[in-house]
Amino acid sequence: MVSRELRPTSTYTIAPADRGGLQQRLRGIGGVELPPGPHEAWRVRLSDGSSQAVAILYLSGKLVISGHAPAF
């Protein structure tokens, strides 16, 4: 059984030119797009066994990632 380790929420600033490529890379490693909320450009859920993490890119360019390792 894989251990789920809670990771601290991380925030990054993503340049406009890198936003689409980042979304593609997350989908390429098995990320599943979820409906974005208010003020969100996109939201992707990452899974690895019972471990899950969510990456949210806000319209401001801030990327917030939260969840458990190893998915995080």
Side-chain angles (χ1 to χ4, degrees):
M1 181 174 173
V2 176
S3 174
R4 289 178 15 155
E5 178 185 333
L6 182 62
R7 297 292 176 125
T9 298
S10 299
T11 304
Y12 306 92
T13 300
I14 307 299
D18 297 329
R19 296 174 189 174
L22 176 60
Q23 183 182 22
Q24 293 291 341
R25 290 186 74 184
L26 291 173
R27 286 195 315 234
I29 61 170
V32 175
E33 287 193 58
L34 301 172
H39 311 289
E40 296 176 5
W42 48 260
R43 177 184 287 248
V44 175
R45 182 180 63 230
L46 302 164
S47 299
D48 187 348
S50 65
S51 170
Q52 292 194 13
V54 175
I56 302 169
L57 180 71
Y58 289 90
L59 297 174
S60 66
K62 298 290 183 188
L63 175 70
V64 178
I65 304 175
S66 62
H68 295 89
F72 187 133

